[in-house]
Amino acid sequence: MSRIRSVASSALGVHRRTLLAATGAVSLSAGVGYALRPTDSQAATASADAADAGAATAKEAPAAAREAAAAPLAPYTRGTTLAGVAAPRTSSGYRRLGDGPGWQRVVRSDLAAPKSGRAGRRTALAAFVQLTDLHLIDSQHPLRLEFLRSTDVHAWRPQEALTVPGAISLVERVNALRGAPVTGSPLHFAMTTGNNTDNNAKSELEWFLTIMSGGRVRPNTGDPRRYEGVQNSGLKQYWQPDAATRDADKQLGFPHIEGFLAAAIREMNSPGLTIPWYSTVGNHDAMPLGTYGHGDSYLAEFAVGGKKLMSLSASEAKKLQDTLKGDTDPKGTWFRDLLKAHSRDLRSVTPDDSRAPFTAVEYVKAHLDPAYKGAGPVGHGYSAANVEAGTQYYSFRISDDVIGISLDTCDAGGHYNGSIGAAQLKWLDRTLKQARSNGSYALVFSHHTSGTMTNLRPDPARPNDRRHGGEDVLAVLGRNTNVVAWVNGHIHRNVITARTGSGGHSFWEISTASHVDFPQLARVIEVVDNKDGTLSLFTTLIESAAPHRTDFTDLSQTGLAALYRELSFNAPGASTTLAGNPGDRNTELVMKKG
């Protein structure tokens, strides 16, 4: 079997520089007691504050313990989308990918005019990588809604069995980066902004934590010997890669790849990130299928059971999809009744308890498991205080001058759009004010964007905690002059928006494309002080380490990661606008100091 090589492993020198950069970052963070290292955490202690907080804030070491930062590396473009991007090299049918031209950096002056000479004056304040919407998918899970493809061709995507090798390849890319592309500063950390899993399944959570922290992963549930799902069902509405069946996707040019499914479920190895990483929760991490609130025992039992619905008429599929889009079935009652009504149409699969849904507390506890410590910190932002309070938000120190804040914007009452509780909103405002009094800038992280925080349904666990939408969060951020950026995901599209609060303070909202839909990206963000009354945020998009060209005979881990990208490009019904406009990709975002 021929093999293609990961483009991140083609030069030993890259790995050495990466090791040096990571070592420098950890040494710096340990010296000043940043939350970038494994450290103890504590909740707010004042009883009045603790009632509306319950979020972890890492301790800082005294200033006397601080050490100098490692010398910055030279700026570079290699390994980023500045140097090149995957692009089609054939013009019709199933389009093969190859090396395309890079995306140039765009200077945006929406919030402040860039001043000449700033490149020679600037000082790096923070540098990190945002990963979002990995959507690690247990593609054999009984609750999956693949059958919606009868009404919406993109409801099931041909690449879904390859999310694990795709995510591992993204980790490899991050590890190979030679620090921050513009300043050469060591990368301080990585942040995932939610939808790390797809079905809210324990199997997927284990895969996510192992991929990020390092170790072996076998992306298979049910029968340990073979795949059991829609891709070997014989149903022509799904791509049947191993079979000669002339399915709907093969009629569009999709290939016949013998051994594809066996390769997709075999054991794989992740090196784990070599920089500290933090975690933010998304709706697919919080609820079954990312939309149904917990509590229905039938759906919980169905998730681990031995039956699966694989086909449904277009008319019934449309009705179910309408309940999802219209937010009329937050608990999954309609969906449950649909499964019961089609009991005779269910296919047999191997039961598996690892497919069980996990709760918010179980999600946090899993992050705290020492087995998933990786490059640290223990808990990856979460602490025992979150477990005790039943919360999933926290703050952490990035550098002397910058703090990070991770929000929980998921609405446990059901539906994929989000909101935030009054207690958390008060905590956010208080945390920002405290940071401002200490002279610290703030970076805010969440899963949902401001525009998708429209779901104000009460949280069943906190029915009296009023929910607030995106406009209320924007108002809080807008009146705190130390806010630099709100970084999020959810919409699977690159969008960067200039925001100005009622008091005149401005900041940037940065939304990044997913890693499950093409173009499968992550984003490096650098914050610099231009020493002229302005700050700049440099955003640089990266792809996974897999080569752009694929080889259908290469079913190695790297070959599958390359195929993951190409399949996502060709997925029927896929949006062609998720990369965003040039001003949403590689940018310099200039803003006035608060």
Side-chain angles (χ1 to χ4, degrees), residues 34-41 58 188-190 213 275-279 367-370 372-382 394 396-397:
Y34 298 166
L36 303 180
R37 62 176 174 82
T39 184
D40 293 332
S41 300
H188 292 96
F189 67 100
S213 297
I275 57 175
W277 63 273
Y278 290 81
S279 187
H367 282 73
L368 288 164
D369 187 334
Y372 302 121
K373 171 184 170 184
V378 172
H380 305 288
Y382 299 117
Y394 59 90
F396 62 106
R397 181 151 291 280

Side-chain angles (χ1 to χ4, degrees), residues 419-496:
S419 58
I420 191 172
Q424 186 180 177
L425 191 66
K426 291 177 183 177
W427 170 86
L428 171 63
D429 193 30
R430 187 174 63 254
T431 303
L432 290 171
K433 284 182 170 63
Q434 180 63 47
R436 189 172 74 241
S437 69
N438 293 333
S440 293
Y441 295 109
L443 294 166
V444 179
F445 301 92
S446 73
H447 178 64
H448 292 89
T449 65
S450 61
T452 56
M453 291 180 65
T454 57
N455 177 16
L456 304 183
R457 181 176 285 107
D459 180 347
R462 299 174 176 84
N464 297 320
D465 188 23
R466 181 190 168 199
R467 305 297 293 186
H468 292 265
E471 291 301 317
D472 290 340
V473 177
L474 286 172
V476 169
L477 301 184
R479 67 173 176 255
N480 283 280
T481 58
N482 55 333
V483 174
V484 174
W486 180 4
V487 182
N488 50 46
H490 188 63
I491 58 175
H492 291 210
R493 186 175 189 270
N494 291 318
V495 180
I496 299 178

Side-chain angles (χ1 to χ4, degrees), residues 236-277:
K236 292 186 177 181
Q237 73 178 30
Y238 308 108
W239 179 44
Q240 309 290 302
D242 287 77
T245 305
R246 186 71 173 163
D247 57 65
D249 289 341
K250 288 203 187 80
Q251 292 178 39
L252 298 174
F254 274 69
H256 172 213
I257 304 179
E258 190 70 34
F260 174 90
L261 292 174
I265 63 172
R266 70 164 178 259
E267 186 177 79
M268 302 178 194
N269 185 54
S270 173
L273 286 171
T274 55
I275 57 175
W277 63 273

Side-chain angles (χ1 to χ4, degrees), residues 168-192:
I168 293 173
S169 187
L170 184 60
V171 166
E172 292 172 341
R173 165 62 69 207
V174 174
N175 288 348
L177 293 174
R178 298 189 298 109
V182 176
T183 63
S185 168
L187 294 169
H188 292 96
F189 67 100
M191 170 65 84
T192 72

